[in-house]
Amino acid sequence: MKKITSDDIIFAALSLFSEKGYDATSVDEIARESGMVKASFYKYFQSKEELLLGTIALIEKLLNKDAKELNLKHQLPAREKLRQLYLIALGRIYKNRIHLLVYSVPLIGSKEEKIAHAIDRLEHNLSSLMVDFLIDAYGESIHDYAYDIVFVVKSMIINSFRMSDSELSSTEHQTLAEFIVSITDMLAQGMLSPDVQHQIMWGLDSGLYEDSDHIWTKGRQIAYVLQHMDAVLKQIELDEAIQNEHMQILSRLQGELSEQNVETAHVKALLLFLEQLPALQEDCKKLKAILEI
């Protein structure tokens, strides 16, 4: 009898996640799909969240392996390599709906933040690979526009899967990849035209494509802390008047932090009020550290 490995469990989970979604898939179902009992599952992963982190890590590993092998196929034209990279992305990431998992996980704890961070890194890694292959296909002059093209390509892929009533077949993957390459050709040709000045939306220095070491941006960190504070206020038992007052102050804090020019004094005053509630002290401390105030 074949020994079950952690990768076997991951692939079983991926099948269930893509079919039912992360939230609707139980550890019991994952264990059964893997050919084991629930108790055995915990010998490999301590929780479903840890399994998901392992899943994302494996997909990133396979993505990099596929891309490396594709790069070594020197006989292939650069445009064909780009098409095959799109196919790899379709099969490794979007088919499994990995890009959507972050929105289905309740992001209120450190484990969930790790999941969101891991998915961000995977998407960032894919974007970087696409940019490299775009430059190979269209030359170094496409570099300034490459991130805009990647944004359009990813949007097309996501919408194709979202609009499909059923899982796309291998033939449909091939057709979609060729279609996307055709659109990429048109975008590249238009952007490189000397007759038209194009607005760059997603440059290398934009928040969407920060260096991988800094991808967990301040804005994202702030958003998750505020989300956690909102969840805490809704869960703990407070006098209704006190709860409403704290919710209003939190709303004002969210509004203040969404402004382009943040008034530090106002933020400090709002945090000073909120941190009087013991349940919010840790989150207030996190916000001060993120904002460096």
Side-chain angles (χ1 to χ4, degrees), residues 21-285:
Y22 175 81
D23 284 337
T25 302
S26 68
V27 170
D28 275 329
E29 290 172 310
I30 296 169
R32 283 198 302 271
E33 185 76 11
S34 308
M36 63 171 66
V37 296
K38 183 177 180 180
S40 298
F41 170 91
Y42 293 106
K43 294 178 182 178
Y44 298 86
F45 300 98
Q46 293 182 0
S47 64
K48 192 168 74 166
E49 292 80 9
E50 186 179 299
L51 167 63
L52 181 53
L53 283 170
T55 299
I56 297 166
L58 177 61
I59 286 177
E60 186 164 16
K61 177 182 175 182
L62 293 172
L63 173 67
N64 288 329
K65 176 177 174 291
D66 290 342
K68 184 177 180 179
E69 290 176 355
L70 181 56
N71 253 326
L72 293 174
K73 295 180 179 179
H74 303 297
Q75 76 282 6
L76 288 181
R79 185 183 183 278
E80 173 59 17
K81 284 186 179 181
L82 183 62
R83 187 187 74 84
Q84 291 197 22
L85 180 67
Y86 291 160
L87 277 173
I88 290 169
L90 289 170
R92 289 293 185 204
I93 298 176
Y94 297 101
K95 176 184 176 182
N96 297 314
R97 293 175 169 78
I98 288 298
H99 61 294
L100 298 178
L101 288 177
V102 67
Y103 302 113
S104 65
V105 179
L107 299 167
I108 60 172
S110 59
K111 287 183 180 178
E112 290 75 15
E113 288 181 6
K114 287 180 181 178
I115 291 169
H117 195 175
I119 293 173
D120 277 348
R121 286 186 178 277
L122 175 60
E123 286 285 4
H124 175 83
N125 190 5
L126 175 60
S127 296
S128 297
L129 287 171
M130 285 184 174
V131 167
D132 290 342
F133 278 73
L134 283 167
I135 291 172
D136 285 344
Y138 302 105
E140 195 63 44
S141 53
I142 201 66
H143 182 274
D144 289 344
Y145 306 106
Y147 293 95
D148 283 349
I149 294 175
V150 168
F151 177 79
V152 173
V153 166
K154 285 186 172 182
S155 299
M156 284 193 294
I157 292 174
I158 290 170
N159 277 303
S160 296
F161 276 90
R162 190 174 62 185
M163 293 170 64
S164 177
D165 293 332
S166 58
E167 184 175 319
L168 296 179
S169 67
S170 176
T171 301
E172 288 170 324
H173 276 202
Q174 295 283 348
T175 302
L176 179 57
E178 185 56 49
F179 172 74
I180 294 172
V181 171
S182 298
I183 298 298
T184 304
D185 285 339
M186 288 188 280
L187 288 170
Q189 290 165 13
M191 289 173 171
L192 294 175
S193 171
D195 301 325
V196 183
Q197 184 68 36
H198 294 283
Q199 173 66 46
I200 297 174
M201 183 70 181
W202 303 111
L204 180 60
D205 58 348
S206 73
L208 186 65
Y209 296 106
E210 295 189 25
D211 289 341
S212 58
D213 289 343
H214 303 93
I215 197 167
W216 201 234
T217 63
K218 280 189 176 183
R220 185 66 66 84
Q221 290 181 62
I222 290 168
Y224 281 99
V225 175
L226 291 172
Q227 183 180 0
H228 186 245
M229 293 172 78
D230 182 75
V232 168
L233 282 175
K234 290 175 181 176
Q235 290 171 5
I236 61 176
E237 291 186 9
L238 287 173
D239 177 82
E240 185 176 355
I242 294 175
Q243 186 180 46
N244 288 338
E245 184 179 21
H246 279 78
M247 291 297 291
Q248 289 173 9
I249 296 297
L250 179 60
S251 179
R252 287 174 59 185
L253 177 63
Q254 290 171 325
E256 189 67 47
L257 292 175
S258 68
E259 295 293 330
Q260 188 169 1
N261 297 312
V262 176
E263 289 287 346
T264 304
H266 292 173
V267 172
K268 283 183 176 179
L270 295 170
L271 286 173
L272 184 63
F273 177 86
L274 291 169
E275 68 185 0
Q276 294 178 64
L277 196 64
L280 296 179
Q281 286 178 357
E282 186 62 32
D283 284 325
C284 289
K285 182 179 177 181

